Amino acid sequence: MVDLGRVHVESFLEMMSAERGAAANTLQSYESDLDDVRTFLKERSIRLTEAASADLAAYLSSLARKGFKPSSQARRLAAMRQFYKFLYAEGLRTDDPTGILDAPKKGRPLPKTMGVEEVGRLLSQAEAEAEDASPGQLQRLRMLALLELLYATGMRVSELVSLPARVLDQEGRFLMIRGKGNKERLVPLSHSAISALKSYGRLLAAENAAVKEQQESPWLFPSASKEGYLPRQVFARDLKNLAIRAGLTPSLISPHVMRHAFASHLLANGADLRVVQELLGHSDISTTQIYTHVLEERLQQLVQTHHPLAKQAKKHE
């Protein structure tokens, strides 16, 4: 019996063009994807128009084995769904075999992060520039304070730029942060963050005193913006410029990437996931679990280093 699969594919494409107004690129993708399905089924002596759910599931599994990304698999499945719905609507099939097929799960992308060495280079550059006493030192000290606070606490950039000026009056190594939903959390500060904050605070107070008629701002990082504090976009731009001066790739660095670096570096050095959740201000542990790949790597290293069988295997290598 003649396989009419190709004929039905052409009819389907004509319908998509005439009735749905599908673009040429879309039609070409459908044609390519359905031809690939038809070739797979033909090798198993199965006609495209007669394929069962199990046959189509086997096709998707073959894509996964070949290393196709979940997004590519999902595109093929979408093409099959449209095609078999067309066959059903035209009375060429009494069922839709794609109805029970699940879309491939897309793996959650890992966050961009920075290595310890990269963070070190960024902070060293900011520190060297902050020591320059020439005009504009306050802005350079501000950048150092911003970076030290960000890497010490992992706070959101919106939380960072809107810190109140009263932060400068507090003593001790802890900082109270007001996060999403006005929830407050206590985070510890590093010695270098405290030092950078004090240096910035001293020069800020001196410059404020020099302009007596100017009303003192309630914000730690005051600005002429509508909100009255440093816009996060300005900080992000200045951070990328600092990255360039530090010899780093600016496209890979942002305030949010540094937040990820804070979390990743803590976990890599033995911090508990629940502790990191509290420090980041995540209301749900599932949000923090995006960093579990760091824990998995650390656990593998621990097993390889300390498990007696792993040690024994190393001896025989």
Side-chain angles (χ1 to χ4, degrees):
M1 188 179 291
V2 179
D3 182 6
L4 297 176
R6 180 62 197 171
V7 174
H8 291 313
V9 167
E10 289 176 358
S11 298
F12 163 71
L13 295 174
E14 287 176 6
M15 181 277 293
M16 291 296 290
S17 175
E19 297 181 17
R20 308 275 182 88
N25 287 344
T26 302
L27 296 173
Q28 190 174 2
S29 293
Y30 277 140
E31 183 175 16
S32 174
D33 291 345
L34 291 173
D35 279 346
D36 193 53
V37 179
R38 194 163 64 90
T39 300
F40 174 86
L41 294 172
K42 188 176 180 181
E43 290 172 356
R44 287 156 178 73
S45 302
I46 301 167
R47 293 186 177 88
L48 181 64
T49 53
E50 298 173 1
S53 298
D55 301 322
L56 301 178
Y59 168 69
L60 292 174
S61 296
S62 73
L63 295 179
R65 287 194 300 273
K66 291 175 182 176
F68 279 71
K69 292 180 181 179
S71 57
S72 297
Q73 297 174 47
R75 193 193 75 186
R76 302 287 176 92
L77 177 57
M80 290 191 296
R81 286 195 199 284
Q82 291 292 338
F83 176 67
Y84 285 105
K85 282 179 182 177
F86 164 75
L87 293 183
Y88 179 78
E90 293 294 309
L92 298 170
R93 283 194 65 129
T94 58
D95 67 333
D96 176 3
T98 65
I100 62 171
L101 298 182
D102 292 325
K105 292 181 180 179
K106 296 182 180 180
R108 192 172 184 179
L110 297 178
K112 289 181 182 177
T113 188
M114 299 168 65
V116 175
E117 182 183 352
E118 292 172 308
V119 174
R121 284 172 62 183
L122 201 61
L123 289 172
S124 294
Q125 181 68 30
E127 187 174 6
E129 293 182 5
E131 290 173 356
D132 180 1
S134 63
Q137 187 179 24
L138 182 62
Q139 282 69 36
R140 295 189 290 273
L141 280 169
R142 182 183 70 183
M143 174 55 79
L144 179 61
L146 284 162
L147 286 185
E148 288 284 5
L149 284 171
L150 184 54
Y151 188 53
T153 66
M155 69 177 90
R156 299 176 181 90
V157 64
S158 56
E159 297 167 345
L160 174 64
V161 296
S162 62
L163 283 171
R166 64 176 179 271
V167 165
L168 294 169
D169 301 325
Q170 69 180 42
E171 296 292 334
R173 288 191 55 194
F174 288 88
L175 181 66
M176 184 67 74
I177 300 174
R178 188 179 297 277
K180 288 184 176 180
N182 281 329
K183 291 182 180 178
E184 292 185 333
R185 66 186 188 278
L186 200 62
V187 296
L189 292 177
S190 63
H191 290 295
S192 57
I194 293 172
S195 176
L197 197 55
K198 286 182 177 178
S199 296
Y200 166 71
R202 281 194 294 269
L203 191 55
L204 178 65
E207 292 205 1
N208 284 340
V211 189
K212 293 181 181 178
E213 68 275 7
Q214 181 175 312
Q215 187 176 0
E216 198 167 322
S217 171
W219 306 110
L220 178 59
F221 302 111
S223 169
S225 67
K226 180 179 69 174
E227 295 82 3
Y229 52 77
L230 179 70
R232 53 190 178 83
Q233 296 90 343
V234 173
F235 173 42
R237 181 200 65 200
D238 292 346
L239 177 57
K240 289 186 182 296
N241 289 334
L242 178 68
I244 293 171
R245 297 194 296 275
L248 300 171
T249 306
S251 61
L252 301 178
I253 296 171
S254 69
H256 202 62
V257 169
M258 286 201 69
R259 175 171 156 88
H260 288 316
F262 161 82
S264 298
H265 297 172
L266 276 180
L267 289 169
N269 284 281
D272 182 83
L273 193 65
R274 288 281 181 186
V275 172
V276 175
Q277 176 194 358
E278 290 294 326
L279 293 174
L280 291 175
H282 288 161
S283 58
D284 193 328
I285 189 68
S286 64
T287 309
T288 320
Q289 285 172 339
I290 192 171
Y291 299 104
T292 52
H293 69 286
V294 178
L295 284 177
E296 289 167 4
E297 290 173 6
R298 183 172 172 273
L299 287 173
Q300 287 176 1
Q301 291 172 355
L302 284 172
V303 170
Q304 292 300 321
T305 304
H306 300 291
H307 196 284
L309 291 180
K311 287 182 178 179
Q312 192 175 13
K314 285 185 177 180
K315 287 180 182 179
H316 291 293
E317 286 180 354

